[in-house]
């Protein structure tokens, strides 16, 4: 049962990160389309945002493994 809970946590963390990354990239592309001269700063901000969003599933995986290991 703990394995199922860990798998659900990892899946939801990955789903949230995927949606977040999609929104970040789509809004960055919109911004670049509107103001092409701001491509560099927008991409820099995008990469920082994507890095922060990607930290969530990594933390979720670590926590799921810790909780699964503690349940045994």
């Amino acid at each position: 049962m703990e394995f199922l809970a860990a798998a659900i946590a990892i899946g939801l963390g990955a789903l949230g990160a995927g949606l977040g990354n999609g929104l970040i990239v789509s809004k960055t592309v919109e911004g670049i389309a509107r103001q092409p001269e701001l491509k560099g700063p927008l991409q820099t901000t995008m990469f920082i945002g994507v890095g922060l969003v990607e930290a969530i599933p990594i933390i979720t995986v670590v926590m799921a493994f810790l909780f699964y290991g503690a349940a045994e």
Side-chain angles (χ1 to χ4, degrees):
M1 193 63 158
E2 294 84 14
F3 184 72
L4 179 62
I8 291 172
I10 293 170
L12 289 176
L15 178 68
L19 291 172
N21 283 338
L23 287 172
I24 290 170
V25 172
S26 72
K27 296 300 180 179
T28 302
V29 170
E30 280 183 26
I32 292 172
R34 290 182 184 181
Q35 294 183 337
E37 67 274 5
L38 293 178
K39 180 181 178 183
L42 287 173
Q43 280 185 337
T44 302
T45 305
M46 178 193 71
F47 287 131
I48 292 170
V50 167
L52 291 173
V53 168
E54 283 298 320
I56 300 298
I58 293 170
I59 293 169
T60 305
V61 168
V62 170
M63 288 178 58
F65 285 147
L66 287 174
F67 292 151
Y68 178 68
E72 287 187 313

